[in-house]
Amino acid sequence: MAKTGLFFANCDGNYDQRERDFIENFISGIEKVGDIEPELKQSLKDSLCQQYTFDQIVSDTKELTDGFNDDERKVILITIDQFINDVVKLDGELCQKEKSNYENWQKEFGLA
């Protein structure tokens, strides 16, 4: 989800500080839930330094939901959808590219 948030936060070409804080707080929240292996923690931090394509985000989402039954998959997708929605609204502007990518992501997963 951190990668997904980063992709959508960067759609407009501006990784706003509010977006950055939201994603970093998400990662911090994961750490509070339980112990995270140092390698996984570093991997999460490294993921914030990368740029991702729409196709990568779709592929990662499909990989994440693979193996779950339909009900479980839907819950996961709704959670990711809400996360994306929160990220794109943080800077107070919804540019056309953010809107288009978000709508395409929703269509890809049957949420639109």
Side-chain angles (χ1 to χ4, degrees), residues 7-8 52-59 101-102 104-105 108:
F7 170 78
F8 282 95
Y52 302 97
T53 66
F54 180 79
D55 290 339
Q56 286 173 304
I57 296 307
V58 167
S59 176
N101 281 320
Y102 184 34
N104 288 335
W105 185 90
E108 184 72 36

Side-chain angles (χ1 to χ4, degrees), residues 86-105:
D86 290 346
V87 168
V88 298
K89 289 182 175 179
L90 282 170
D91 63 4
E93 300 175 23
L94 183 62
C95 78
Q96 185 56 43
K97 193 170 183 182
E98 285 173 320
K99 184 178 181 205
S100 175
N101 281 320
Y102 184 34
E103 289 171 352
N104 288 335
W105 185 90

Side-chain angles (χ1 to χ4, degrees), residues 13-66:
N14 177 33
Y15 189 24
D16 186 84
Q17 187 61 45
R18 292 169 287 193
E19 295 166 334
R20 184 182 317 273
D21 292 343
F22 182 82
I23 294 168
E24 288 177 3
N25 286 337
F26 171 77
I27 292 172
S28 294
I30 293 171
E31 292 175 323
K32 291 177 185 174
V33 171
D35 291 332
I36 294 182
E37 298 287 326
E39 296 83 22
L40 177 58
K41 186 175 180 178
Q42 188 59 47
S43 176
L44 283 169
K45 290 185 184 287
D46 290 346
S47 74
L48 296 178
C49 300
Q50 305 294 320
Q51 294 220 350
Y52 302 97
T53 66
F54 180 79
D55 290 339
Q56 286 173 304
I57 296 307
V58 167
S59 176
D60 283 356
T61 303
K62 286 179 180 178
E63 185 178 323
L64 174 69
T65 59
D66 188 41

